[in-house]
């Protein structure tokens, strides 16, 4: 019999999908603008769909091989009973993650043109359309994640003490696809962006998204395959992996809470989805107003309602213990951490504050000082977030211990993680809004719309840059809590497999120390390969754009550039260069676990996680700060566009591009992939 609370989860997901369908139907009925706008939008859509088709064909082949390996490992280690179930869960998770990415991209490439058309008459209406496009993706992806976990749990027997350990295959499949989707999309988008900026802005001195630049369409395609498809798969796997990790920790408390303690994570996230729907519907664009005001109001509404739902959910599901209120406080800590991470990210990446202004000021003396200052800001950004993460874990762990139940401390951290996850659908809405607004701005620019239309879209595009930076902060914040959760789930799984307690990792043990050292090294090596892939692919783009710029007719605007050629070059470079870094992430933990066994792998996982969190913060925030310093100068300060300071800032931005949109976001997925991989392949490391 299906537990009642699972029916609640499924019902809320169906309501969310219904709302997404309603918003989609309404959005697709809107005006698509001028013929020139449609021409640009069609080129973006065709390029994005072609890349996604080729990318996911490559990922599918890798996933099939991995599924076979999972089945073989379980079968050959004497666990034939769950070999097929785990492999099947992996395939389902991988498929759902791929669909999540495709859905995000499909919606975005159809919303951008309608946003551009709306901007002809109203910036408030343009905000409504772009935000609803993001909402459709957020609702569908979050619903798919919750439905995927719930239905897989039911399909594999719904045994509360056994099934959570089997459905971890679902989380691994989701993480596997998300890594390659984020990495490949990130390489594509930033190679095209860097190529367009260096040859267009710096060398030719033409505006961004100028119709004469052959790399502009590839750049706009990249917004969809990187920021939409990649981030969609990223946050899909976040909710899946973190929910399943919390469910595994709930197994240890089955004698206290029964099945309620195991299903608590997905029930709370479904209530958070309901809160997000209310927050989304509260957002309404107003002509002349700051777009961030409406979106921030919706976010705070979502967070407040989530906190109310959390308190009620804890009482209903975990009220069997007299200290249940401490779990409520732990959940509030998670929600507060999500708000704090957004505020910290805003401080380091918005031009109203000191860090971005410092980078802009340093641009007066050249690209060298701009780059030095930007990297300094990136290093600085690790301090406050690390303290916030540490304090949140300590408080939530203390809250759990105050309940008086065995292992309550760890479950307190799980409740905090779920509290942070409850606003995921709304955050994903803001994230997808960013590339939609960016694309719409490009369409307006390339269709040579009137200045007043461009001005409306510039304001929306600026808001989109802010939301993209904020959601990266949220993603790494939630990942940081999640990996602690998944690390403890790994230790619980090893204890279950060996029949012995495994709650201490001895870093003084030489094998463990070596494993930890290699874990830290892998994070840096992966980031290096991801950034190098952007450089290599960008070089191909730059060479092609330079060749086309030699044609006087293109520069005179009387001949259309060969956009398709640049799209094809970027696609080939991205797909070729994503394989090696992705493969290393899969192979390294397997080699460590097989050769030095499970405790050394625990050290590997622990240190790789910590290093990955800090490096992701450096890359995300320095890249965002460089980007916004450039945009700040473009408002007219320090000489404005075409000044020496602007040229220096453009160079700084090209350094930051692969930081914030390729290596940084890919590290979010990497640290969770390492955790889910070690959980799935744990029998191999005993």
């Amino acid at each position: 019999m299906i537990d009642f609370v699972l029916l609640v989860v499924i019902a809320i997901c169906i309501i969310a999908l219904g709302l997404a369908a309603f918003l989609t139907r309404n959005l697709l009925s809107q005006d698509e603008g001028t013929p020139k706008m449609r021409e640009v939008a069609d080129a973006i859509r065709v390029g994005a769909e072609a890349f996604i088709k080729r990318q996911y064909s490559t990922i599918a082949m890798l996933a099939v091989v991995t599924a076979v390996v999972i089945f073989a490992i379980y079968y050959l280690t004497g666990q034939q009973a769950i070999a097929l179930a785990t492999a099947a869960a992996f395939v389902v998770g991988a498929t759902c993650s791929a669909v999540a990415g495709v859905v995000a991209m499909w919606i975005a490439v159809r919303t951008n043109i309608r946003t551009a058309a709306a901007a002809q008459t109203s910036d408030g209406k343009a905000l409504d359309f772009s935000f609803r496009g993001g909402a459709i993706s957020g609702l569908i992806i979050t619903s798919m994640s919750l439905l995927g976990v719930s239905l897989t749990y039911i399909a594999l027997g719904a045994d509360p003490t056994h099934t959570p350990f089997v459905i971890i295959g679902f989380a691994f499949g989701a993480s596997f696809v998300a890594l390659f989707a984020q990495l490949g999309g990130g390489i594509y988008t930033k190679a095209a962006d860097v190529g367009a900026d260096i040859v267009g802005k710096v060398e030719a001195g033409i505006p961004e998204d100028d119709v004469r630049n052959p790399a502009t369409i590839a750049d706009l395609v990249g917004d969809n395959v990187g920021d939409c498809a990649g981030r969609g798969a990223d946050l899909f796997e976040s909710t899946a992996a973190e929910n399943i990790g919390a469910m595994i920790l709930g197994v240890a408390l089955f004698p206290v809470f029964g099945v309620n303690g195991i299903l608590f994570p997905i029930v709370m996230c479904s209530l958070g989805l309901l809160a997000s729907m209310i927050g989304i519907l509260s957002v309404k664009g107003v002509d002349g107003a700051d777009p961030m005001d409406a979106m921030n109001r919706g976010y705070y509404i979502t967070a407040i309602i989530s906190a109310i739902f959390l308190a009620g959910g804890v009482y209903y599901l975990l009220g069997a213990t007299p200290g249940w209120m401490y779990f409520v406080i732990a959940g509030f800590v998670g929600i507060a951490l999500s708000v704090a991470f957004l505020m910290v990210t805003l401080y380091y990446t918005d031009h109203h504050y000191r860090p971005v202004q410092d980078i802009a000021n340093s641009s007066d003396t050249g690209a060298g000082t701009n780059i030095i200052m930007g990297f300094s800001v990136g290093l600085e950004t690790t301090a406050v977030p690390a303290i916030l993460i540490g304090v949140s874990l300590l408080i939530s762990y203390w809250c759990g211990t105050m309940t008086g139940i065995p292992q309550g401390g760890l479950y307190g951290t799980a409740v905090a993680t779920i509290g942070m996850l409850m606003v995921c659908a709304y955050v994903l809405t803001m994230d997808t809004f960013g590339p939609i607004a960016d694309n719409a701005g490009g369409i307006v620019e390339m269709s040579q719309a009137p200045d007043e239309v461009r001005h409306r879209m510039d304001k929306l595009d600026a808001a989109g840059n802010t939301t993209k930076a904020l959601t990266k902060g949220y993603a790494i914040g939630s990942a940081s809590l999640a990996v602690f959760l998944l690390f403890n789930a790994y230790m619980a799984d090893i204890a279950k497999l060996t029949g012995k307690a495994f709650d201490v990792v001895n870093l003084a043990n030489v094998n463990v120390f070596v494993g930890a050292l290699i874990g830290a090294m892998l994070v840096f090596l992966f980031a290096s390969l991801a950034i190098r892939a952007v450089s290599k692919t960008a070089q191909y783009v730059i060479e092609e754009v330079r060749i086309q710029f030699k044609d006087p007719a293109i520069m005179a605007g009387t001949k259309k550039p060969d956009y398709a050629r640049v799209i094809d070059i970027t696609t080939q470079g991205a797909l070729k260069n994503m394989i090696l870094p992705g493969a290393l992430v899969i192979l390294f933990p397997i080699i460590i676990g097989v050769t030095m066994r499970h405790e050394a792998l625990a050290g590997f996982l622990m240190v790789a996680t910590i290093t990955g969190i800090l490096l992701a913060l450096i890359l995300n925030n320095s890249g965002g700060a460089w980007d916004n310093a450039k945009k700040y100068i473009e408002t007219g300060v320090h000489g404005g566009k075409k000044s020496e300071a602007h040229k220096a800032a453009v160079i700084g931005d090209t350094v930051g591009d692969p930081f914030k949109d390729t290596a940084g976001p890919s590290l979010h997925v990497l640290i969770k992939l390492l955790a889910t991989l070690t959980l799935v392949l744990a029998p191999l490391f005993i």
Side-chain angles (χ1 to χ4, degrees), residues 56 59 63 90 93-95 97-99 172-182 233 669 673:
Y56 279 105
I59 295 173
F90 171 86
T95 302
S97 185
V99 171
F172 179 39
S175 298
F176 182 91
V177 169
L179 178 70
F180 286 102
Q182 182 66 73
V669 188
L673 176 67

Side-chain angles (χ1 to χ4, degrees), residues 462-479:
N465 282 324
T466 301
T467 61
K468 285 190 289 185
L470 295 181
T471 49
K472 288 187 183 77
Y474 171 83
I476 192 59
S478 63

Side-chain angles (χ1 to χ4, degrees), residues 5-6 9 145-146 148-154 158-168 170-171 239-254 258-267 269 410-411 414-415 417-418 485-486 489 492 679:
V5 293
L6 273 179
V9 173
S145 177
L146 292 170
V149 173
S150 301
L151 296 178
T152 304
Y153 175 82
I154 293 168
D159 180 345
T161 59
H162 172 71
T163 307
F165 293 96
V166 180
I167 61 172
I168 192 63
F170 183 97
T239 53
E242 291 158 30
N243 278 322
I244 293 171
M247 291 171 75
I248 289 173
L249 291 185
V251 172
L253 298 180
F254 185 76
V259 72
N260 285 350
I262 295 164
L263 298 181
F264 174 81
I266 55 176
V267 175
C269 285
L410 285 179
Y411 201 75
V415 175
T417 305
I418 298 307
L485 188 70
L486 292 168
L679 273 167

Side-chain angles (χ1 to χ4, degrees), residues 436-614:
I436 289 172
D438 193 353
N439 258 219
I443 292 170
V444 166
E445 180 81 26
M446 293 190 70
S447 63
Q448 298 174 325
D451 287 344
E452 61 181 18
V453 181
R454 298 187 195 189
H455 178 70
R456 292 188 188 108
M457 279 313 310
D458 284 345
K459 186 165 63 171
L460 212 60
D461 187 15
N465 282 324
T466 301
T467 61
K468 285 190 289 185
L470 295 181
T471 49
K472 288 187 183 77
Y474 171 83
I476 192 59
S478 63
S480 62
L481 291 187
V483 289
F484 179 76
L485 188 70
L486 292 168
F487 178 75
N488 281 283
Y490 166 73
M491 297 182 76
D493 198 16
I494 293 295
K496 178 175 178 287
L497 290 167
T498 60
K500 301 176 183 177
F502 182 47
D503 53 11
V504 175
V505 179
N506 181 13
L507 282 173
N509 180 298
V510 66
N511 284 351
V512 176
F513 181 83
V514 170
L517 180 66
I518 294 174
M521 175 276 294
L522 175 63
V523 171
F524 287 101
L525 178 61
F526 174 85
S528 167
L529 292 172
I531 293 169
R532 182 182 302 173
V534 173
S535 177
K536 285 183 176 179
T537 308
Q539 289 172 42
Y540 307 145
V541 174
I542 290 168
E543 289 170 4
E544 175 61 27
V545 175
R546 283 173 176 166
I547 290 170
Q548 293 197 36
F549 273 0
K550 291 178 181 178
D551 187 336
I554 290 177
M555 294 308 293
T558 58
K559 179 181 176 182
K560 184 184 293 186
D562 188 351
Y563 301 120
R565 172 69 178 154
V566 179
I567 290 173
D568 189 57
I569 288 172
T570 316
T571 299
Q572 291 181 34
L575 295 182
K576 180 175 71 174
N577 289 309
M578 77 176 187
I579 301 298
L580 178 59
L584 288 177
V585 174
I586 305 295
L587 293 175
F588 261 99
I590 294 175
I591 292 170
I592 295 296
V594 169
T595 58
M596 293 189 284
R597 317 318 291 174
H598 61 270
E599 188 179 4
L601 187 58
F604 171 96
L605 185 59
M606 180 191 301
V607 176
T609 293
I610 295 169
T611 308
I613 290 168
L614 296 177

Side-chain angles (χ1 to χ4, degrees), residues 343 346-358:
M343 293 174 67
L346 182 68
Y347 173 74
Y348 280 107
T349 59
D350 190 275
H351 74 268
H352 291 99
Y353 302 102
R354 187 264 308 168
V356 170
Q357 291 178 5
D358 282 351

